[in-house]
Amino acid sequence: MSETNLKDMQDLVSLCKRRGFIFQSSEIYGGLSSCWDYGPLGIELRKNIKDRWWNAMTLREDVVGIDASILMHPEVWKASGHVDGFNDPMVDCKECKSRFRADKIDLAANCPVCGKSGTYTEPKDFNLMFKTQMGPVEDSSAQVYLRPETAQGIFVNFLNVQSTMRKKLPFGIAQIGKAFRNEITPGNFIFRTREFEQMEMQFFVKPGSQMEFMEQWKEIRWNWHLENGLRPERLRWEPHGPGELAHYADAATDIEYQYAHGWGEMEGIHSRTDFDLKQHELFSKKNLKYLDAEDGNKKYLPFVIETSVGCDRCLLAVLSDAYRVENEGDKEKERTVLKFSPKVAPIKVAVLPLLKKEKLAAPAKELFNKLNKKYPAEFDVTGTIGKRYRRQDEIGTPFCITFDFDSLEDHAVTIRDRDTMVQERVSLDKVEQYLQDKLQL
Ligand code: ATP
């Protein structure tokens, strides 16, 4: 048996559409560039990833969660540096008017869109924040931004959370939420979009101890990706060198994944010093210092280790990693299968009566109803059994249960393993235990 990995992102895009994971936004109107809608299976997969992140981050004594609003006081973004500094230098092709990030194209070469000899405008800065109006008056005082990151919602709530939850350093605040960036060159499916979701955690520590915690969080975050089923050889560290560090960071590293379009950042782990809290003190004129009762009532601004992962980039990695084509080119034996870890698989089990006949379908439905109370499950009677297996393979369902004529006599069913395609006969009263043991959720 031969097995090939995902080679072309387009294959994944079409599987995601065909099987109800991800659709282009507003497709019937021709679509909206780089915006995507998650379908029924996509949303289950996404929910599994978010739940796994949330549980890994908050089922600990030293991390609590929040959910801050997307619209924030405009001063927040002045304090954070986004109003002045969140810019990418851009050029326009003078021929076809396409816009590019100046640092991402060869300005001496022909335009990659129209192919004409590249004459570009001078690079100009372009702020990546989306602006909108709040309230009925369209003047600049009512101008607000869609948040370009969730982190600032955590920083401005640092003292609220610390005091109400009576937290002592070190402790963290976790959040999952949408962020918006008017990216100049979005693309590669859901890798770079203008609306995306972040899963961020800010861990507040005593100044001087940040490197110790940075190391701890690096290990935790790396292992979390492995536990989602990603293959270790497709992950790598990409530390930021001294010249690449953001102005606020004293250390930073990314976890990159080998996507079909190449290596790309999936998660950033940053030591952000006390930059953000200091800025918010300055701009809000509020005292945000922590009172350290265990260190002679000293007052200081904590340092921060941030872990920031894009939910959509993580999901793209999980999908890309799971995607395999077996026996490519062999008409009889070729199959596409998403080899998800059962932990993230959107559907855990499918119940397939061999035939549509009521005699088989009714007891099979009964089994499905029982299982579906415990797991996201599917019941499918349409088409040949072979086609139904192929569909479940393509959506990554770990187990298919077939109810056949023998089942009526021996009160047992056939359970097929997605990856090995090996089938086992299991007595009906043992099915739940069998799944529990195999799925290991
Ligand atoms: P890049 O260099 O790829 O633009 P970044 O360094 O600006 O990313 P961060 O600001 O560190 O990204 O954001 C943290 C995480 O949010 C990233 O690791 C990524 O997973 C996710 N993310 C950032 N921008 C986007 C986007 N436009 N679309 C999808 N996910 C994104």
Side-chain angles (χ1 to χ4, degrees), residues 24-47:
Q24 201 184 5
S25 161
S26 327
E27 193 187 347
I28 60 169
Y29 288 97
L32 181 65
S33 156
S34 91
C35 293
W36 301 92
D37 295 344
Y38 284 81
L41 295 183
I43 200 68
E44 284 292 333
L45 177 61
R46 194 181 164 91
K47 181 177 169 297

PDB file of all heavy atoms in Angstrom, residues 24-47:
ATOM      1  N   GLN A  24     -16.563  28.785   0.879  1.00  0.00           N
ATOM      2  CA  GLN A  24     -16.195  30.181   0.668  1.00  0.00           C
ATOM      3  C   GLN A  24     -17.328  31.073   1.177  1.00  0.00           C
ATOM      4  O   GLN A  24     -18.505  30.759   0.967  1.00  0.00           O
ATOM      5  CB  GLN A  24     -15.946  30.437  -0.810  1.00  0.00           C
ATOM      6  CG  GLN A  24     -15.089  31.663  -0.981  1.00  0.00           C
ATOM      7  CD  GLN A  24     -14.865  32.038  -2.423  1.00  0.00           C
ATOM      8  OE1 GLN A  24     -15.415  31.435  -3.331  1.00  0.00           O
ATOM      9  NE2 GLN A  24     -14.063  33.062  -2.619  1.00  0.00           N
ATOM     10  N   SER A  25     -16.965  32.171   1.825  1.00  0.00           N
ATOM     11  CA  SER A  25     -18.008  33.055   2.345  1.00  0.00           C
ATOM     12  C   SER A  25     -18.801  33.680   1.198  1.00  0.00           C
ATOM     13  O   SER A  25     -18.233  34.053   0.173  1.00  0.00           O
ATOM     14  CB  SER A  25     -17.349  34.149   3.177  1.00  0.00           C
ATOM     15  OG  SER A  25     -18.218  35.230   3.326  1.00  0.00           O
ATOM     16  N   SER A  26     -20.099  33.796   1.366  1.00  0.00           N
ATOM     17  CA  SER A  26     -21.005  34.453   0.406  1.00  0.00           C
ATOM     18  C   SER A  26     -20.823  33.880  -0.996  1.00  0.00           C
ATOM     19  O   SER A  26     -20.836  34.629  -1.980  1.00  0.00           O
ATOM     20  CB  SER A  26     -20.752  35.966   0.352  1.00  0.00           C
ATOM     21  OG  SER A  26     -20.358  36.486   1.588  1.00  0.00           O
ATOM     22  N   GLU A  27     -20.663  32.589  -1.074  1.00  0.00           N
ATOM     23  CA  GLU A  27     -20.323  31.949  -2.345  1.00  0.00           C
ATOM     24  C   GLU A  27     -21.325  32.264  -3.455  1.00  0.00           C
ATOM     25  O   GLU A  27     -20.936  32.507  -4.595  1.00  0.00           O
ATOM     26  CB  GLU A  27     -20.225  30.439  -2.136  1.00  0.00           C
ATOM     27  CG  GLU A  27     -19.583  29.730  -3.296  1.00  0.00           C
ATOM     28  CD  GLU A  27     -19.635  28.219  -3.149  1.00  0.00           C
ATOM     29  OE1 GLU A  27     -19.946  27.720  -2.055  1.00  0.00           O
ATOM     30  OE2 GLU A  27     -19.382  27.546  -4.151  1.00  0.00           O
ATOM     31  N   ILE A  28     -22.623  32.290  -3.108  1.00  0.00           N
ATOM     32  CA  ILE A  28     -23.628  32.515  -4.168  1.00  0.00           C
ATOM     33  C   ILE A  28     -23.516  33.914  -4.759  1.00  0.00           C
ATOM     34  O   ILE A  28     -24.075  34.192  -5.805  1.00  0.00           O
ATOM     35  CB  ILE A  28     -25.072  32.231  -3.683  1.00  0.00           C
ATOM     36  CG1 ILE A  28     -25.437  33.130  -2.506  1.00  0.00           C
ATOM     37  CG2 ILE A  28     -25.259  30.753  -3.342  1.00  0.00           C
ATOM     38  CD1 ILE A  28     -26.936  33.089  -2.173  1.00  0.00           C
ATOM     39  N   TYR A  29     -22.784  34.793  -4.101  1.00  0.00           N
ATOM     40  CA  TYR A  29     -22.548  36.140  -4.655  1.00  0.00           C
ATOM     41  C   TYR A  29     -21.157  36.251  -5.269  1.00  0.00           C
ATOM     42  O   TYR A  29     -20.633  37.336  -5.441  1.00  0.00           O
ATOM     43  CB  TYR A  29     -22.731  37.202  -3.574  1.00  0.00           C
ATOM     44  CG  TYR A  29     -24.183  37.381  -3.201  1.00  0.00           C
ATOM     45  CD1 TYR A  29     -24.709  36.734  -2.085  1.00  0.00           C
ATOM     46  CD2 TYR A  29     -25.029  38.151  -3.987  1.00  0.00           C
ATOM     47  CE1 TYR A  29     -26.043  36.862  -1.758  1.00  0.00           C
ATOM     48  CE2 TYR A  29     -26.365  38.288  -3.671  1.00  0.00           C
ATOM     49  CZ  TYR A  29     -26.874  37.646  -2.563  1.00  0.00           C
ATOM     50  OH  TYR A  29     -28.186  37.776  -2.245  1.00  0.00           O
ATOM     51  N   GLY A  30     -20.532  35.114  -5.472  1.00  0.00           N
ATOM     52  CA  GLY A  30     -19.199  35.145  -6.066  1.00  0.00           C
ATOM     53  C   GLY A  30     -18.092  35.102  -5.024  1.00  0.00           C
ATOM     54  O   GLY A  30     -16.918  35.165  -5.347  1.00  0.00           O
ATOM     55  N   GLY A  31     -18.489  35.016  -3.754  1.00  0.00           N
ATOM     56  CA  GLY A  31     -17.494  34.888  -2.691  1.00  0.00           C
ATOM     57  C   GLY A  31     -16.919  36.219  -2.259  1.00  0.00           C
ATOM     58  O   GLY A  31     -16.990  37.209  -2.989  1.00  0.00           O
ATOM     59  N   LEU A  32     -16.387  36.228  -1.022  1.00  0.00           N
ATOM     60  CA  LEU A  32     -15.685  37.418  -0.536  1.00  0.00           C
ATOM     61  C   LEU A  32     -14.255  36.977  -0.275  1.00  0.00           C
ATOM     62  O   LEU A  32     -14.034  36.035   0.501  1.00  0.00           O
ATOM     63  CB  LEU A  32     -16.347  37.953   0.735  1.00  0.00           C
ATOM     64  CG  LEU A  32     -15.711  39.202   1.326  1.00  0.00           C
ATOM     65  CD1 LEU A  32     -15.847  40.400   0.367  1.00  0.00           C
ATOM     66  CD2 LEU A  32     -16.350  39.544   2.669  1.00  0.00           C
ATOM     67  N   SER A  33     -13.333  37.675  -0.916  1.00  0.00           N
ATOM     68  CA  SER A  33     -11.939  37.263  -0.905  1.00  0.00           C
ATOM     69  C   SER A  33     -11.420  36.965   0.504  1.00  0.00           C
ATOM     70  O   SER A  33     -11.577  37.776   1.421  1.00  0.00           O
ATOM     71  CB  SER A  33     -11.126  38.376  -1.562  1.00  0.00           C
ATOM     72  OG  SER A  33      -9.814  38.323  -1.122  1.00  0.00           O
ATOM     73  N   SER A  34     -10.825  35.807   0.644  1.00  0.00           N
ATOM     74  CA  SER A  34     -10.147  35.363   1.872  1.00  0.00           C
ATOM     75  C   SER A  34     -11.063  35.247   3.093  1.00  0.00           C
ATOM     76  O   SER A  34     -10.584  35.230   4.216  1.00  0.00           O
ATOM     77  CB  SER A  34      -8.949  36.242   2.201  1.00  0.00           C
ATOM     78  OG  SER A  34      -9.322  37.294   3.037  1.00  0.00           O
ATOM     79  N   CYS A  35     -12.370  35.193   2.880  1.00  0.00           N
ATOM     80  CA  CYS A  35     -13.282  34.945   4.003  1.00  0.00           C
ATOM     81  C   CYS A  35     -13.910  33.570   3.809  1.00  0.00           C
ATOM     82  O   CYS A  35     -14.289  33.212   2.693  1.00  0.00           O
ATOM     83  CB  CYS A  35     -14.372  36.007   4.066  1.00  0.00           C
ATOM     84  SG  CYS A  35     -13.689  37.606   4.492  1.00  0.00           S
ATOM     85  N   TRP A  36     -14.002  32.822   4.877  1.00  0.00           N
ATOM     86  CA  TRP A  36     -14.455  31.427   4.794  1.00  0.00           C
ATOM     87  C   TRP A  36     -15.513  31.152   5.851  1.00  0.00           C
ATOM     88  O   TRP A  36     -15.467  31.723   6.938  1.00  0.00           O
ATOM     89  CB  TRP A  36     -13.258  30.479   5.002  1.00  0.00           C
ATOM     90  CG  TRP A  36     -12.181  30.679   3.993  1.00  0.00           C
ATOM     91  CD1 TRP A  36     -11.097  31.508   4.108  1.00  0.00           C
ATOM     92  CD2 TRP A  36     -12.077  30.093   2.692  1.00  0.00           C
ATOM     93  NE1 TRP A  36     -10.327  31.456   2.970  1.00  0.00           N
ATOM     94  CE2 TRP A  36     -10.910  30.586   2.093  1.00  0.00           C
ATOM     95  CE3 TRP A  36     -12.867  29.172   1.995  1.00  0.00           C
ATOM     96  CZ2 TRP A  36     -10.502  30.209   0.804  1.00  0.00           C
ATOM     97  CZ3 TRP A  36     -12.468  28.789   0.713  1.00  0.00           C
ATOM     98  CH2 TRP A  36     -11.294  29.310   0.138  1.00  0.00           C
ATOM     99  N   ASP A  37     -16.432  30.251   5.513  1.00  0.00           N
ATOM    100  CA  ASP A  37     -17.465  29.837   6.468  1.00  0.00           C
ATOM    101  C   ASP A  37     -17.206  28.380   6.848  1.00  0.00           C
ATOM    102  O   ASP A  37     -16.962  27.546   5.976  1.00  0.00           O
ATOM    103  CB  ASP A  37     -18.861  29.934   5.826  1.00  0.00           C
ATOM    104  CG  ASP A  37     -19.238  31.375   5.496  1.00  0.00           C
ATOM    105  OD1 ASP A  37     -18.589  32.293   6.028  1.00  0.00           O
ATOM    106  OD2 ASP A  37     -20.181  31.567   4.702  1.00  0.00           O
ATOM    107  N   TYR A  38     -17.291  28.121   8.121  1.00  0.00           N
ATOM    108  CA  TYR A  38     -17.121  26.735   8.582  1.00  0.00           C
ATOM    109  C   TYR A  38     -18.465  26.015   8.521  1.00  0.00           C
ATOM    110  O   TYR A  38     -19.454  26.495   9.072  1.00  0.00           O
ATOM    111  CB  TYR A  38     -16.559  26.712  10.003  1.00  0.00           C
ATOM    112  CG  TYR A  38     -15.082  27.036  10.022  1.00  0.00           C
ATOM    113  CD1 TYR A  38     -14.630  28.353   9.970  1.00  0.00           C
ATOM    114  CD2 TYR A  38     -14.132  26.031  10.046  1.00  0.00           C
ATOM    115  CE1 TYR A  38     -13.281  28.655   9.954  1.00  0.00           C
ATOM    116  CE2 TYR A  38     -12.774  26.321  10.038  1.00  0.00           C
ATOM    117  CZ  TYR A  38     -12.354  27.631   9.991  1.00  0.00           C
ATOM    118  OH  TYR A  38     -11.021  27.914   9.969  1.00  0.00           O
ATOM    119  N   GLY A  39     -18.484  24.877   7.845  1.00  0.00           N
ATOM    120  CA  GLY A  39     -19.704  24.069   7.735  1.00  0.00           C
ATOM    121  C   GLY A  39     -19.847  23.143   8.933  1.00  0.00           C
ATOM    122  O   GLY A  39     -19.055  23.208   9.881  1.00  0.00           O
ATOM    123  N   PRO A  40     -20.847  22.259   8.881  1.00  0.00           N
ATOM    124  CA  PRO A  40     -21.139  21.402  10.042  1.00  0.00           C
ATOM    125  C   PRO A  40     -19.937  20.590  10.542  1.00  0.00           C
ATOM    126  O   PRO A  40     -19.728  20.487  11.746  1.00  0.00           O
ATOM    127  CB  PRO A  40     -22.241  20.475   9.525  1.00  0.00           C
ATOM    128  CG  PRO A  40     -22.892  21.247   8.434  1.00  0.00           C
ATOM    129  CD  PRO A  40     -21.821  22.067   7.793  1.00  0.00           C
ATOM    130  N   LEU A  41     -19.137  20.047   9.645  1.00  0.00           N
ATOM    131  CA  LEU A  41     -17.997  19.252  10.123  1.00  0.00           C
ATOM    132  C   LEU A  41     -16.837  20.144  10.544  1.00  0.00           C
ATOM    133  O   LEU A  41     -16.129  19.861  11.504  1.00  0.00           O
ATOM    134  CB  LEU A  41     -17.553  18.258   9.050  1.00  0.00           C
ATOM    135  CG  LEU A  41     -18.584  17.187   8.710  1.00  0.00           C
ATOM    136  CD1 LEU A  41     -18.028  16.206   7.705  1.00  0.00           C
ATOM    137  CD2 LEU A  41     -19.041  16.440   9.953  1.00  0.00           C
ATOM    138  N   GLY A  42     -16.666  21.238   9.818  1.00  0.00           N
ATOM    139  CA  GLY A  42     -15.596  22.180  10.159  1.00  0.00           C
ATOM    140  C   GLY A  42     -15.786  22.738  11.560  1.00  0.00           C
ATOM    141  O   GLY A  42     -14.829  22.876  12.324  1.00  0.00           O
ATOM    142  N   ILE A  43     -17.041  23.012  11.885  1.00  0.00           N
ATOM    143  CA  ILE A  43     -17.291  23.640  13.182  1.00  0.00           C
ATOM    144  C   ILE A  43     -17.084  22.636  14.316  1.00  0.00           C
ATOM    145  O   ILE A  43     -16.635  22.993  15.405  1.00  0.00           O
ATOM    146  CB  ILE A  43     -18.694  24.317  13.201  1.00  0.00           C
ATOM    147  CG1 ILE A  43     -18.779  25.360  14.303  1.00  0.00           C
ATOM    148  CG2 ILE A  43     -19.832  23.354  13.292  1.00  0.00           C
ATOM    149  CD1 ILE A  43     -17.909  26.540  14.071  1.00  0.00           C
ATOM    150  N   GLU A  44     -17.356  21.357  14.054  1.00  0.00           N
ATOM    151  CA  GLU A  44     -17.086  20.329  15.080  1.00  0.00           C
ATOM    152  C   GLU A  44     -15.575  20.200  15.308  1.00  0.00           C
ATOM    153  O   GLU A  44     -15.108  20.111  16.436  1.00  0.00           O
ATOM    154  CB  GLU A  44     -17.629  18.961  14.652  1.00  0.00           C
ATOM    155  CG  GLU A  44     -19.134  18.797  14.777  1.00  0.00           C
ATOM    156  CD  GLU A  44     -19.638  18.793  16.221  1.00  0.00           C
ATOM    157  OE1 GLU A  44     -18.884  18.426  17.127  1.00  0.00           O
ATOM    158  OE2 GLU A  44     -20.793  19.183  16.420  1.00  0.00           O
ATOM    159  N   LEU A  45     -14.837  20.190  14.202  1.00  0.00           N
ATOM    160  CA  LEU A  45     -13.380  20.074  14.297  1.00  0.00           C
ATOM    161  C   LEU A  45     -12.803  21.284  15.050  1.00  0.00           C
ATOM    162  O   LEU A  45     -11.957  21.151  15.935  1.00  0.00           O
ATOM    163  CB  LEU A  45     -12.797  19.986  12.875  1.00  0.00           C
ATOM    164  CG  LEU A  45     -11.289  19.936  12.734  1.00  0.00           C
ATOM    165  CD1 LEU A  45     -10.712  18.711  13.428  1.00  0.00           C
ATOM    166  CD2 LEU A  45     -10.884  19.914  11.249  1.00  0.00           C
ATOM    167  N   ARG A  46     -13.306  22.437  14.675  1.00  0.00           N
ATOM    168  CA  ARG A  46     -12.852  23.686  15.298  1.00  0.00           C
ATOM    169  C   ARG A  46     -13.172  23.709  16.788  1.00  0.00           C
ATOM    170  O   ARG A  46     -12.365  24.127  17.617  1.00  0.00           O
ATOM    171  CB  ARG A  46     -13.589  24.801  14.576  1.00  0.00           C
ATOM    172  CG  ARG A  46     -13.113  26.186  14.776  1.00  0.00           C
ATOM    173  CD  ARG A  46     -14.065  27.051  13.938  1.00  0.00           C
ATOM    174  NE  ARG A  46     -13.966  28.419  14.316  1.00  0.00           N
ATOM    175  CZ  ARG A  46     -13.120  29.261  13.738  1.00  0.00           C
ATOM    176  NH1 ARG A  46     -12.349  28.857  12.770  1.00  0.00           N
ATOM    177  NH2 ARG A  46     -13.063  30.513  14.133  1.00  0.00           N
ATOM    178  N   LYS A  47     -14.379  23.221  17.101  1.00  0.00           N
ATOM    179  CA  LYS A  47     -14.797  23.197  18.511  1.00  0.00           C
ATOM    180  C   LYS A  47     -13.895  22.245  19.302  1.00  0.00           C
ATOM    181  O   LYS A  47     -13.502  22.540  20.428  1.00  0.00           O
ATOM    182  CB  LYS A  47     -16.258  22.749  18.585  1.00  0.00           C
ATOM    183  CG  LYS A  47     -16.811  22.699  19.979  1.00  0.00           C
ATOM    184  CD  LYS A  47     -18.282  22.316  19.956  1.00  0.00           C
ATOM    185  CE  LYS A  47     -18.771  21.994  21.349  1.00  0.00           C
ATOM    186  NZ  LYS A  47     -18.107  20.844  21.957  1.00  0.00           N
TER     187      LYS A  47
END
